[in-house]
Amino acid sequence: MTQVRVRFAPSPTGFLHIGGVRTALFNWLFARQQKGVFVLRIEDTDQSRSTDESIQAIIEGMKWVGLDWDEGPYRQTERMDIYRSHAMKLLEKGEAYWCICKAEELDSRRKEAEAKGLSQKYDGRCRDRGLTNPTGDAALRFKAPQEGETVVDDLIKGKIVFDNNVQDDLIILRSNGYPTYNFSVVVDDSLMNITHVVRGDDHLTNTPRQVPIFQALGFPVPQFGHLPMILGSDKARLSKRHGATSIMAYKDMGYLPDAMLNYLVRLGWSHRDQEIFTRQELIEKFSWKNVQTSAAVFNPEKLLWVNAEYIKISPPAQVAQALVPLLQAAGLGGEVQNVSAVWLVQLVVLVKERVKTLVEMVDWVRPYFGQTVTYDEEAAKKFLTPAIAPILAKLLTRFEAIPTFSKQQWEGAFKQLVEEEGVKMGQLAQPVRVTLTGRATSPGLFDVMEVLGRDRTLFRLRQGNERASQA
RNA sequence: GUCCCCAUCGUCUAGCCUGGCCUAGGACAUUGCCCUUUCAAGGCAGUAACACGGGUUCAAAUCCCGUUGGGGACACCA
């Protein structure tokens, strides 16, 4: 059994797209399951569109979601000599030819053909002219077979048959000497011994173009697998107008990397009725057989739910760690420095059941920093009334009488007072909630007190009582 | 226009390969109820789908053909 070698080969023309992450994920899962090798290759042969910032963005994104690669990142622009020498081999073998048709001419001929409703493929006018390239500005075309058929046995879609007579003689070296995509991928996939080429559905029709090049070069043809596309809610290919598509944008919006991967893998793959998978489970259970053949609509609502699940089930310490940068971004950097890691974890536990993103968590957690609390005016007006002040004062006295905080004891004292005063639980609970958190909604009161600690609880109770009596 | 892919609730999907167990299962969203000190979470229940038309068969969501619809590709982009 030869070792499985797969790759993720993005072109650095922007941020790392969530569709790209999904493609990388399927490759990565297969590599890890098969104890194979996962290669990262940057396809930057288009000089006008590739940028170094994009390369950094890809690396940053891959690292954030934790898809680690074993080889690379390779950069195609560092391998130019390799492509050229292989192109020359094809020329020598008579499998390629120089073409002096100008780009503009080809363009207008294509448009003409389109208008007449004819085939848009290259008419092959330079094919048998035996041209040389003395001025160095000709393009090199591959002599694509025009008879028979090319059969691809796709890992996901099964057997697909293409007629060779529709295939174009595609350009493999541009007039500027740079290789084109369909040529450089073939050379790289061959030289990097890629055994399984798994990429997006949009590359499906590139496959019958590439297969003959593998063969002409004398390389074995790898297995292919084409992942269905991700669509927006209008069933059009997912793009910016459907919302955020950059993986790092989701980091900023408070999503956990594991949640992103879990959602993305379920978009096109399934294992019975299971929704939530650990990475290890994914590696074990992944199978091409269970990859969907049809495109999937990206559903932000479900992503949100998956994220909420991960906030609940992930180790709180891990969530706390992911939360810190967002707290800093929200201007709570100073406060975070003054608290212990243990307390921060406690805080996460306090609110994790009630939020769907880390950004929401930042908001929920805000009242627990600092000595005093800022009231939501509407809540204060509604609950911190003169009528409640005397009861609040009694509660304060009873709490003060208990020397150390104990959830059971404080809750007992609270309930006893409620009974004695003949009020409903909520009549006292809401005012207390506002005194402690400044808001009308919060986690359970006694959990809040525990996180606040005895001193701050009493302090805020006094503060609230003052406000109530003056109202 | 040519070539290719695809088709189960609004969405992600199970089932399809190896027809009967499907009165089509789960999840998100949505509606109602329960729990409840608020907000969530949780629990229970409900609405909701085999695109259409022909075959094959005792039997079709499942196999075959066609139609329709959606998507992709047809660059000196990747």
Side-chain angles (χ1 to χ4, degrees):
Chain A
M1 238 348 226
T2 53
Q3 188 181 37
V4 163
R5 292 180 56 91
V6 295
R7 53 33 164 216
F8 174 52
S11 60
T13 56
F15 48 71
L16 180 58
H17 193 274
I18 50 179
V21 172
R22 193 179 65 139
T23 303
L25 173 59
F26 282 111
N27 276 288
W28 182 86
L29 285 173
F30 187 57
R32 292 292 167 264
Q33 178 185 69
Q34 300 295 316
K35 306 264 184 282
V37 175
F38 179 50
V39 176
L40 179 61
R41 185 173 75 220
I42 308 293
E43 312 226 314
D44 58 350
T45 55
D46 183 346
Q47 289 222 291
S48 58
R49 297 202 302 156
S50 301
T51 65
D52 285 347
E53 297 78 69
S54 296
I55 296 176
Q56 284 319 307
I58 289 164
I59 290 170
E60 186 191 17
M62 292 289 282
K63 283 188 174 165
W64 182 63
V65 290
L67 296 180
D68 55 322
W69 56 94
D70 307 304
E71 280 183 24
Y74 295 109
R75 286 185 61 164
Q76 290 190 321
T77 44
E78 290 166 353
R79 301 165 56 80
M80 288 303 159
D81 294 344
I82 299 172
Y83 308 124
R84 283 173 197 148
S85 72
H86 281 85
M88 288 310 119
K89 266 187 213 163
L90 288 184
L91 180 65
E92 283 160 26
K93 284 165 78 178
E95 306 269 15
Y97 59 91
W98 292 112
C99 170
I100 53 167
C101 297
K102 293 275 164 279
E104 310 82 62
E105 285 172 34
L106 292 167
D107 215 38
S108 62
R109 274 187 242 159
R110 213 165 13 241
K111 281 191 180 122
E112 211 174 299
E114 190 185 2
K116 288 182 184 165
L118 296 170
S119 163
Q120 292 174 41
K121 82 178 208 183
Y122 176 61
D123 60 10
R125 66 176 66 185
C126 293
R127 194 178 229 235
D128 299 311
R129 290 167 77 178
L131 296 166
T132 54
N133 186 20
T135 48
D137 60 356
L140 192 67
R141 277 187 193 270
F142 176 64
K143 222 178 252 183
Q146 295 298 299
E147 282 162 18
E149 46 195 29
T150 297
V151 178
V152 178
D153 194 10
D154 195 270
L155 286 164
I156 296 160
K157 312 244 185 201
K159 195 175 159 188
I160 307 163
V161 180
F162 299 89
D163 274 335
N164 286 340
N165 60 31
V166 301
Q167 296 305 331
D168 229 333
D169 280 351
L170 30 95
I171 288 172
I172 57 176
L173 278 190
R174 301 177 176 112
S175 50
N176 67 6
Y178 277 71
T180 54
Y181 164 76
N182 275 305
F183 186 64
S184 54
V185 249
V186 170
V187 172
D188 281 342
D189 286 339
S190 297
L191 266 29
M192 295 176 188
N193 293 309
I194 300 302
T195 55
H196 302 255
V197 172
V198 178
R199 72 241 291 203
D201 224 348
D202 48 341
H203 285 291
L204 189 55
T205 52
N206 279 327
T207 310
R209 298 184 185 119
Q210 293 169 10
V211 166
I213 300 178
F214 278 99
Q215 292 164 335
L217 248 15
F219 290 125
V221 179
Q223 287 239 47
F224 290 95
H226 290 91
L227 264 5
M229 305 263 82
I230 303 180
L231 311 178
S233 51
D234 57 357
K235 307 251 182 186
R237 196 180 179 142
L238 190 67
S239 68
K240 319 95 226 155
R241 73 197 160 78
H242 297 109
T245 51
S246 154
I247 190 72
M248 294 314 278
Y250 285 88
K251 179 191 179 193
D252 296 340
M253 291 189 290
Y255 288 81
L256 258 14
D258 284 335
M260 290 308 294
L261 291 188
N262 198 135
Y263 176 72
L264 256 13
V265 78
R266 281 286 290 102
L267 208 53
W269 176 84
S270 61
H271 182 266
R272 309 289 176 109
D273 287 341
Q274 193 169 345
E275 295 287 350
I276 302 295
F277 300 84
T278 64
R279 274 183 203 230
Q280 199 49 44
E281 275 180 304
L282 287 177
I283 291 168
E284 283 161 17
K285 291 175 173 170
F286 179 75
S287 155
W288 297 117
K289 202 177 118 244
N290 297 324
V291 175
Q292 197 74 4
T293 49
S294 52
V297 173
F298 181 79
N299 182 350
E301 303 253 85
K302 183 138 184 187
L303 204 210
L304 206 52
W305 175 79
V306 173
N307 198 53
E309 285 298 302
Y310 270 87
I311 287 175
K312 281 183 271 187
I313 64 178
S314 298
Q318 199 179 306
V319 177
Q321 209 183 347
L323 183 68
V324 170
L326 289 165
L327 287 171
Q328 287 163 344
L332 290 165
E335 281 81 351
V336 172
Q337 280 194 321
N338 293 330
V339 302
S340 73
V342 175
W343 184 79
L344 204 56
V345 171
Q346 235 187 314
L347 194 54
V348 165
V349 172
L350 182 71
V351 301
K352 65 175 186 158
E353 302 283 327
R354 1 182 88 77
V355 301
K356 292 189 190 303
T357 69
L358 260 24
V359 167
E360 282 179 41
M361 189 176 267
V362 167
D363 184 53
W364 269 80
V365 120
R366 203 181 282 275
Y368 304 93
F369 291 98
Q371 181 71 4
T372 58
V373 73
T374 313
Y375 297 122
D376 169 68
E377 274 310 310
E378 204 179 315
K381 261 185 204 123
K382 184 167 179 194
F383 295 112
L384 299 186
T385 60
I388 203 71
I391 309 182
L392 234 33
K394 280 186 201 167
L395 182 70
L396 193 50
T397 312
R398 307 234 174 148
F399 280 171
E400 278 168 337
I402 306 170
T404 54
F405 177 82
S406 141
K407 225 155 111 174
Q408 290 74 17
Q409 283 183 50
W410 286 43
E411 185 165 359
F414 186 99
K415 285 188 170 155
Q416 201 185 331
L417 181 64
V418 164
E419 204 172 309
E420 287 172 19
E421 294 292 323
V423 294
K424 281 198 205 130
M425 186 74 177
Q427 286 178 283
L428 183 57
Q430 283 306 84
V432 169
R433 191 182 312 283
V434 177
T435 67
L436 297 183
T437 67
R439 303 173 182 187
T441 59
S442 82
L445 273 191
F446 304 99
D447 295 324
V448 166
M449 292 178 193
E450 185 170 39
V451 167
L452 246 23
R454 183 174 191 271
D455 292 347
R456 272 198 300 167
T457 298
L458 295 176
F459 181 86
R460 290 186 181 189
L461 235 27
R462 268 180 227 117
Q463 189 190 15
N465 188 27
E466 241 167 74
R467 160 82 188 230
S469 22
Q470 286 163 7

